[in-house]
Amino acid sequence: MFAEAREVIKQITVHDVRRMIDEGEAFTLVDVRDPEELAAGVIAYDGLVTISRGKLELLAPDKLDMNERIVVVCQTGIRGILAAHTLVKLGYTNVSNIQCGIEGWAFSDYPIRNSLGTFVMK
């Protein structure tokens, strides 16, 4: 299943996503981590939607537009590519996955937001 997902899903870097945010590109960022993982922090982006990977098939139709650009993120990129593949199977047409996930984002010194505020890990 993972090999098939890698063939189908476009992989993008955290730098691509940072550029998209900086340039005001329209997209929905879907974080598929579980609630306890989200508490540590999420990408500081107003177009963020959180849907746990285990509930994606149930909640995506109510939370995501079929025609919008969707970028999926998880912890390291592996769960994200599987989630992105699931979205494609559900009929979403413009889906990509962030390589290296939120870990790559944080290690690139990009902003993370949690209940304490927005910060950069240094």
Side-chain angles (χ1 to χ4, degrees):
M1 182 193 255
F2 184 73
E4 179 184 338
R6 287 188 66 184
E7 290 179 19
V8 173
I9 302 303
K10 178 181 178 184
Q11 296 289 298
I12 60 175
T13 68
V14 295
H15 310 296
D16 294 329
V17 176
R18 181 76 240 175
R19 179 194 49 76
M20 291 165 57
I21 292 170
D22 290 345
E23 293 178 359
E25 288 187 36
F27 70 98
T28 298
L29 179 64
V30 180
D31 194 322
V32 296
R33 293 177 296 150
D34 293 330
E36 61 274 4
E37 294 172 293
L38 295 170
V42 298
I43 293 175
Y45 176 63
D46 291 337
L48 175 71
V49 173
T50 60
I51 306 174
S52 177
R53 169 66 186 100
K55 297 180 179 179
L56 192 61
E57 293 86 345
L58 298 172
L59 299 178
D62 292 332
K63 291 190 169 197
L64 304 174
D65 183 318
M66 291 293 249
N67 300 311
E68 66 189 329
R69 182 173 187 184
I70 297 172
V71 176
V72 178
V73 65
C74 67
Q75 189 70 28
T76 63
I78 296 170
R79 205 174 350 166
I81 198 167
L82 295 172
H85 192 236
T86 296
L87 290 172
V88 167
K89 286 182 173 181
L90 290 172
Y92 294 85
T93 58
N94 192 357
V95 182
S96 55
N97 178 57
I98 301 177
Q99 295 172 327
C100 302
I102 190 88
E103 285 184 4
W105 181 268
F107 289 128
S108 295
D109 295 330
Y110 293 143
I112 300 289
R113 180 175 53 219
N114 67 14
S115 62
L116 300 175
T118 301
F119 58 92
V120 173
M121 296 180 63
K122 295 248 181 194

PDB file of all heavy atoms in Angstrom, residues 42-55:
ATOM      1  N   VAL A  42       1.324  22.632  16.080  1.00  0.00           N
ATOM      2  CA  VAL A  42       0.914  22.466  14.690  1.00  0.00           C
ATOM      3  C   VAL A  42       1.585  23.556  13.856  1.00  0.00           C
ATOM      4  O   VAL A  42       2.102  24.531  14.400  1.00  0.00           O
ATOM      5  CB  VAL A  42      -0.627  22.559  14.527  1.00  0.00           C
ATOM      6  CG1 VAL A  42      -1.327  21.445  15.293  1.00  0.00           C
ATOM      7  CG2 VAL A  42      -1.144  23.918  14.955  1.00  0.00           C
ATOM      8  N   ILE A  43       1.569  23.394  12.563  1.00  0.00           N
ATOM      9  CA  ILE A  43       2.079  24.438  11.681  1.00  0.00           C
ATOM     10  C   ILE A  43       1.195  25.666  11.839  1.00  0.00           C
ATOM     11  O   ILE A  43      -0.033  25.566  11.782  1.00  0.00           O
ATOM     12  CB  ILE A  43       2.116  23.951  10.221  1.00  0.00           C
ATOM     13  CG1 ILE A  43       3.169  22.835  10.077  1.00  0.00           C
ATOM     14  CG2 ILE A  43       2.417  25.103   9.268  1.00  0.00           C
ATOM     15  CD1 ILE A  43       3.218  22.188   8.710  1.00  0.00           C
ATOM     16  N   ALA A  44       1.824  26.792  12.050  1.00  0.00           N
ATOM     17  CA  ALA A  44       1.091  28.048  12.263  1.00  0.00           C
ATOM     18  C   ALA A  44       0.567  28.543  10.918  1.00  0.00           C
ATOM     19  O   ALA A  44       1.228  29.301  10.212  1.00  0.00           O
ATOM     20  CB  ALA A  44       2.001  29.082  12.917  1.00  0.00           C
ATOM     21  N   TYR A  45      -0.634  28.084  10.575  1.00  0.00           N
ATOM     22  CA  TYR A  45      -1.263  28.424   9.294  1.00  0.00           C
ATOM     23  C   TYR A  45      -2.769  28.491   9.501  1.00  0.00           C
ATOM     24  O   TYR A  45      -3.366  27.568  10.064  1.00  0.00           O
ATOM     25  CB  TYR A  45      -0.898  27.374   8.234  1.00  0.00           C
ATOM     26  CG  TYR A  45      -1.579  27.574   6.905  1.00  0.00           C
ATOM     27  CD1 TYR A  45      -1.348  28.718   6.146  1.00  0.00           C
ATOM     28  CD2 TYR A  45      -2.453  26.617   6.408  1.00  0.00           C
ATOM     29  CE1 TYR A  45      -1.978  28.900   4.923  1.00  0.00           C
ATOM     30  CE2 TYR A  45      -3.081  26.787   5.174  1.00  0.00           C
ATOM     31  CZ  TYR A  45      -2.842  27.933   4.451  1.00  0.00           C
ATOM     32  OH  TYR A  45      -3.466  28.116   3.236  1.00  0.00           O
ATOM     33  N   ASP A  46      -3.375  29.569   9.048  1.00  0.00           N
ATOM     34  CA  ASP A  46      -4.813  29.762   9.270  1.00  0.00           C
ATOM     35  C   ASP A  46      -5.690  28.760   8.530  1.00  0.00           C
ATOM     36  O   ASP A  46      -6.821  28.519   8.934  1.00  0.00           O
ATOM     37  CB  ASP A  46      -5.216  31.187   8.887  1.00  0.00           C
ATOM     38  CG  ASP A  46      -4.647  32.220   9.843  1.00  0.00           C
ATOM     39  OD1 ASP A  46      -4.328  31.865  11.004  1.00  0.00           O
ATOM     40  OD2 ASP A  46      -4.506  33.387   9.436  1.00  0.00           O
ATOM     41  N   GLY A  47      -5.187  28.166   7.462  1.00  0.00           N
ATOM     42  CA  GLY A  47      -5.963  27.193   6.693  1.00  0.00           C
ATOM     43  C   GLY A  47      -5.771  25.766   7.163  1.00  0.00           C
ATOM     44  O   GLY A  47      -5.931  24.826   6.389  1.00  0.00           O
ATOM     45  N   LEU A  48      -5.468  25.597   8.438  1.00  0.00           N
ATOM     46  CA  LEU A  48      -5.227  24.269   9.004  1.00  0.00           C
ATOM     47  C   LEU A  48      -6.541  23.593   9.400  1.00  0.00           C
ATOM     48  O   LEU A  48      -7.408  24.202  10.011  1.00  0.00           O
ATOM     49  CB  LEU A  48      -4.335  24.387  10.249  1.00  0.00           C
ATOM     50  CG  LEU A  48      -4.079  23.095  11.019  1.00  0.00           C
ATOM     51  CD1 LEU A  48      -3.170  22.168  10.222  1.00  0.00           C
ATOM     52  CD2 LEU A  48      -3.475  23.413  12.373  1.00  0.00           C
ATOM     53  N   VAL A  49      -6.652  22.311   9.036  1.00  0.00           N
ATOM     54  CA  VAL A  49      -7.761  21.452   9.458  1.00  0.00           C
ATOM     55  C   VAL A  49      -7.114  20.220  10.082  1.00  0.00           C
ATOM     56  O   VAL A  49      -6.189  19.648   9.510  1.00  0.00           O
ATOM     57  CB  VAL A  49      -8.643  21.041   8.259  1.00  0.00           C
ATOM     58  CG1 VAL A  49      -9.686  20.017   8.674  1.00  0.00           C
ATOM     59  CG2 VAL A  49      -9.290  22.248   7.618  1.00  0.00           C
ATOM     60  N   THR A  50      -7.595  19.826  11.252  1.00  0.00           N
ATOM     61  CA  THR A  50      -7.058  18.623  11.893  1.00  0.00           C
ATOM     62  C   THR A  50      -8.088  17.503  11.806  1.00  0.00           C
ATOM     63  O   THR A  50      -9.231  17.669  12.189  1.00  0.00           O
ATOM     64  CB  THR A  50      -6.677  18.886  13.365  1.00  0.00           C
ATOM     65  OG1 THR A  50      -7.823  19.312  14.080  1.00  0.00           O
ATOM     66  CG2 THR A  50      -5.588  19.945  13.459  1.00  0.00           C
ATOM     67  N   ILE A  51      -7.630  16.376  11.251  1.00  0.00           N
ATOM     68  CA  ILE A  51      -8.454  15.169  11.162  1.00  0.00           C
ATOM     69  C   ILE A  51      -7.528  13.992  11.440  1.00  0.00           C
ATOM     70  O   ILE A  51      -6.625  13.724  10.649  1.00  0.00           O
ATOM     71  CB  ILE A  51      -9.099  14.973   9.775  1.00  0.00           C
ATOM     72  CG1 ILE A  51      -9.898  16.185   9.329  1.00  0.00           C
ATOM     73  CG2 ILE A  51      -9.969  13.721   9.781  1.00  0.00           C
ATOM     74  CD1 ILE A  51     -10.425  16.087   7.902  1.00  0.00           C
ATOM     75  N   SER A  52      -7.731  13.312  12.527  1.00  0.00           N
ATOM     76  CA  SER A  52      -6.909  12.149  12.852  1.00  0.00           C
ATOM     77  C   SER A  52      -6.974  11.138  11.707  1.00  0.00           C
ATOM     78  O   SER A  52      -8.039  10.908  11.128  1.00  0.00           O
ATOM     79  CB  SER A  52      -7.435  11.511  14.138  1.00  0.00           C
ATOM     80  OG  SER A  52      -6.712  10.351  14.439  1.00  0.00           O
ATOM     81  N   ARG A  53      -5.846  10.540  11.376  1.00  0.00           N
ATOM     82  CA  ARG A  53      -5.768   9.570  10.277  1.00  0.00           C
ATOM     83  C   ARG A  53      -6.835   8.483  10.428  1.00  0.00           C
ATOM     84  O   ARG A  53      -7.440   8.052   9.459  1.00  0.00           O
ATOM     85  CB  ARG A  53      -4.366   8.959  10.236  1.00  0.00           C
ATOM     86  CG  ARG A  53      -4.198   7.758   9.313  1.00  0.00           C
ATOM     87  CD  ARG A  53      -4.386   8.156   7.867  1.00  0.00           C
ATOM     88  NE  ARG A  53      -4.375   6.999   6.995  1.00  0.00           N
ATOM     89  CZ  ARG A  53      -5.459   6.416   6.507  1.00  0.00           C
ATOM     90  NH1 ARG A  53      -6.662   6.870   6.809  1.00  0.00           N
ATOM     91  NH2 ARG A  53      -5.365   5.388   5.697  1.00  0.00           N
ATOM     92  N   GLY A  54      -7.108   8.057  11.625  1.00  0.00           N
ATOM     93  CA  GLY A  54      -8.087   6.998  11.862  1.00  0.00           C
ATOM     94  C   GLY A  54      -9.523   7.405  11.583  1.00  0.00           C
ATOM     95  O   GLY A  54     -10.391   6.558  11.456  1.00  0.00           O
ATOM     96  N   LYS A  55      -9.771   8.709  11.479  1.00  0.00           N
ATOM     97  CA  LYS A  55     -11.131   9.204  11.238  1.00  0.00           C
ATOM     98  C   LYS A  55     -11.271   9.906   9.890  1.00  0.00           C
ATOM     99  O   LYS A  55     -12.304  10.505   9.598  1.00  0.00           O
ATOM    100  CB  LYS A  55     -11.544  10.154  12.355  1.00  0.00           C
ATOM    101  CG  LYS A  55     -11.603   9.478  13.701  1.00  0.00           C
ATOM    102  CD  LYS A  55     -12.019  10.423  14.789  1.00  0.00           C
ATOM    103  CE  LYS A  55     -12.072   9.681  16.110  1.00  0.00           C
ATOM    104  NZ  LYS A  55     -12.445  10.552  17.205  1.00  0.00           N
TER     105      LYS A  55
END
